[in-house]
Amino acid sequence: MPEPSAPAAARLRRPSWRDPRLGIGILLVAASVALGSWAVTNASDTVEVYRTHEPLSPGDPIEAADLEIVQVHVPDVDLYLTPDQGVPEDAVATRAVGPGELVPGTAVGTESQVEVRPISLPMSAALEAYLEKGSRVDLWVALPDPDGEGVAPVGPTQLLVGAVEVWDVHEDASLFAGADQVQVQVLIEVDDLPEVLDAISADAVITVVPLPGQADS
């Protein structure tokens, strides 16, 4: 008896528009094209914005020569200082701007708009390594005891003002300064100024305490 012949090999069929695999392939190609077009469009959709080299503190002059122009993609360029706008004449920083940050338009103004004032205070030289321009410190105060006799003892220590900005740290050149002491200039909000000046005039003991996580070199 003759052996049954093997089934004929299946013939290749031309894909049909009804084939779901063809539809999925078309969708993938279309998605790839759209994604590539979006990436190219957004990569070229950048603007020039000013960025700082060094930190700016309130009252610091702002000049174009001290800033860097960078190409960035930002949702609202009107929020930042741009070369198209230019740097206003006699412009100063009205609030702190960190190094390498884009310069917000709200941080640029005139001296009359600066709402802080510099105050110089003695500080332990051992803490100088933890501070730099733009660092933040707390000021703690111990007021003299009005009932004390002779060298007045101090009362309980309490927070005077918190998280104030450091403007400068330099050697204390006063005649009464010790070798382990430096002067730190801090920027005090105008509203807090009377309380700080009252403490200074009352010969209170004001201690400068750096906030953690800042410069250590």
Side-chain angles (χ1 to χ4, degrees):
M1 181 176 180
E3 295 181 1
S5 58
R11 295 181 179 179
L12 294 176
R13 293 181 298 174
R14 180 177 300 175
S16 168
W17 287 107
R18 297 180 180 179
D19 190 338
R21 292 173 298 179
L22 183 60
I24 293 174
I26 292 173
L27 290 176
L28 290 175
V29 171
S32 298
V33 171
L35 181 60
S37 176
W38 177 86
V40 170
T41 300
N42 280 270
S44 61
D45 187 19
T46 59
V47 293
E48 291 186 336
V49 178
Y50 278 123
R51 182 172 67 183
T52 60
H53 282 294
E54 302 293 334
L56 293 173
S57 293
D60 284 347
I62 299 178
E63 297 182 1
D66 298 328
L67 303 175
E68 178 185 9
I69 298 175
V70 293
Q71 292 278 350
V72 296
H73 176 72
V74 292
D76 191 352
V77 69
D78 293 335
L79 297 177
Y80 301 96
L81 184 65
T82 67
D84 288 343
Q85 298 170 338
V87 179
E89 187 176 358
D90 298 328
V92 301
T94 56
R95 62 178 178 84
V97 182
E101 291 186 9
L102 302 182
V103 181
T106 54
V108 181
T110 62
E111 289 183 352
S112 62
Q113 295 174 297
V114 178
E115 298 180 350
V116 294
R117 300 292 184 268
I119 292 292
S120 188
L121 297 169
M123 182 187 73
S124 169
L127 298 176
E128 184 177 2
Y130 295 92
L131 298 181
E132 60 185 8
K133 182 181 176 68
S135 298
R136 297 278 173 170
V137 297
D138 289 338
L139 301 184
W140 290 79
V141 62
L143 296 172
D145 187 344
D147 299 326
E149 297 180 0
V151 179
V154 295
T157 302
Q158 56 189 338
L159 183 65
L160 182 58
V161 286
V164 297
E165 184 182 355
V166 173
W167 197 17
D168 191 20
V169 181
H170 56 83
E171 183 180 352
D172 193 335
S174 66
L175 295 175
F176 304 101
D180 60 345
Q181 186 172 289
V182 295
Q183 284 284 322
V184 56
Q185 288 182 310
V186 293
L187 299 173
I188 305 297
E189 296 281 349
V190 172
D191 290 343
D192 295 326
L193 202 56
E195 190 173 3
V196 175
L197 293 177
D198 286 347
I200 294 174
S201 63
D203 291 329
V205 177
I206 300 177
T207 303
V208 179
V209 181
L211 271 62
Q214 302 186 103
D216 55 3
S217 60

